[in-house]
């Protein structure tokens, strides 16, 4: 897969943590093909997905904008990529934004906390605004991550 792979990492981590919480409250484990899957094992797998997203990956890049020393600089987001009204008081027409979209300059407005689509199946991330599949933030990527981060923050020290 090469399109918006972080949606799978964030959704999977959220589901693993939700199931781990259920198994914990039910005092159960799962027998999966002869392997015993415990809530702790699910939490560890979920945390690895979150750690990957935040920079523990081959590129050592966080796919959350503004997090860590290296993160996407050219995300596919109009409000982030166009100059602010203070820097450019004249109106920017819809079609006028394309010269900025194809620019290699970093976005002038950092959309802190936005998670982009992420790397392709070969762990490559070109950091190009025009590559919306990899560089566009979306609610279906960010929303499950919020649940995972809330769970991990609440249970810090249990992993």
């Amino acid at each position: 897969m090469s399109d918006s792979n972080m949606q799978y990492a964030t959704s999977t981590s959220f589901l693993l943590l939700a199931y781990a919480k259920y198994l914990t409250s039910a005092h159960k484990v799962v027998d999966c093909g002869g392997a015993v899957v415990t809530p702790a094992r699910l939490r560890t797998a979920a945390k690895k997905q979150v750690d990957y997203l935040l920079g523990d990956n081959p590129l050592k890049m966080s796919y959350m904008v503004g997090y860590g020393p290296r993160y996407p600089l050219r995300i596919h987001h109009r409000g982030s990529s166009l100059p602010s009204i203070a820097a450019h008081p004249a109106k920017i027409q819809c079609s006028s934004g394309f010269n900025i979209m194809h620019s290699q300059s970093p976005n002038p407005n950092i959309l802190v906390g936005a998670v982009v689509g992420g790397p392709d199946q070969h762990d490559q991330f070109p950091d190009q605004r025009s590559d919306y599949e990899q560089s566009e933030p979306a609610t279906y990527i960010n929303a499950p991550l919020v649940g995972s981060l809330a769970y991990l923050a609440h249970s810090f020290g249990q992993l």
Side-chain angles (χ1 to χ4, degrees), residues 21-151:
K21 187 173 181 179
Y22 163 74
L23 290 176
T24 299
S25 67
H27 304 289
K28 299 208 183 253
V29 297
V30 175
D31 181 0
C32 186
V36 176
V37 180
T38 64
R41 189 169 177 186
L42 295 175
R43 285 192 297 269
T44 299
K47 187 175 181 305
K48 283 183 182 181
Q49 293 294 301
V50 172
D51 290 344
Y52 178 95
L53 183 149
L54 294 176
D56 188 7
N57 57 59
L59 294 178
K60 303 295 182 212
M61 173 182 241
S62 169
Y63 295 106
M64 178 183 281
V65 177
Y67 183 84
R70 187 167 181 228
Y71 53 85
L73 300 174
R74 295 166 200 87
I75 67 170
H76 187 89
H77 185 273
R78 188 170 177 87
S80 177
S81 60
L82 292 176
S84 70
I85 196 164
H88 190 282
K91 185 175 182 178
I92 299 174
Q93 300 294 333
C94 288
S95 60
S96 301
F98 285 103
N99 61 342
I100 295 168
M101 183 171 133
H102 298 295
S103 161
Q104 287 302 308
S105 299
N107 288 11
N109 306 299
I110 299 172
L111 193 61
V112 176
V115 178
V116 298
D120 64 15
Q121 67 270 28
H122 304 292
D123 277 318
Q124 297 301 306
F125 182 77
D127 198 10
Q128 295 175 345
R129 252 178 240 103
S130 59
D131 186 355
Y132 65 89
E133 291 178 329
Q134 292 180 270
S135 67
E136 184 173 50
T139 54
Y140 59 83
I141 302 169
N142 285 261
L145 180 64
V146 171
S148 295
L149 292 174
Y151 180 97

